[in-house]
Amino acid sequence: MFKYLKNIFVLIFICFAIWMLFFDANSLIIHSELNSEISDLEDQKVYYGNEIIKDKKAIKQLSTDEGIEKMAREKYYMKKENEDIYIIEYEDSLKLETQDD
């Protein structure tokens, strides 16, 4: 084994391999970081694609008068004249404040 290490070509190859794996600007470590970043960006792309689909559905619903009225009633609690609104909140849907003594 030591006779191979005395060969200048083997030594140069080992030095080159170590340099390329750890110290170069395109090293294995940097490639793994870039691959993880690419994976994160692809996940974000899928998430935002789904958000775009949901927003398009909401825009389509709001393009009609019935859709606007439904959103105004449900989200902003608006009402027509001569109409009463009763908001029923269940105990498990309330945000209860905890007191620290």
Side-chain angles (χ1 to χ4, degrees), residues 31-41:
H31 274 286
S32 65
E33 291 172 0
L34 291 175
N35 286 337
S36 67
E37 188 175 336
I38 288 171
S39 175
D40 293 341
L41 290 173

Side-chain angles (χ1 to χ4, degrees), residues 47-61:
Y47 170 76
Y48 287 122
N50 292 335
E51 290 296 314
I52 288 171
I53 291 170
K54 284 182 7 184
D55 289 343
K56 284 182 181 180
K57 287 180 184 176
I59 289 171
K60 187 175 181 181
Q61 286 180 343

Side-chain angles (χ1 to χ4, degrees), residues 1 3 11 14 19 22 71 85 93:
M1 180 149 171
K3 78 176 187 178
L11 287 175
I14 290 172
W19 179 264
F22 300 108
M71 185 182 131
I85 295 179
S93 67

Side-chain angles (χ1 to χ4, degrees), residues 1-16:
M1 180 149 171
F2 289 116
K3 78 176 187 178
Y4 292 117
L5 291 177
K6 290 181 182 178
N7 190 344
I8 189 74
F9 296 113
V10 173
L11 287 175
I12 291 174
F13 177 74
I14 290 172
C15 292
F16 176 75

Side-chain angles (χ1 to χ4, degrees), residues 69-85:
E69 182 179 346
K70 180 180 176 185
M71 185 182 131
R73 288 174 174 268
E74 291 177 358
K75 190 169 183 179
Y76 298 109
Y77 306 116
M78 293 184 172
K79 63 179 187 132
K80 294 180 180 178
E81 288 184 35
N82 302 328
E83 188 177 60
D84 293 328
I85 295 179

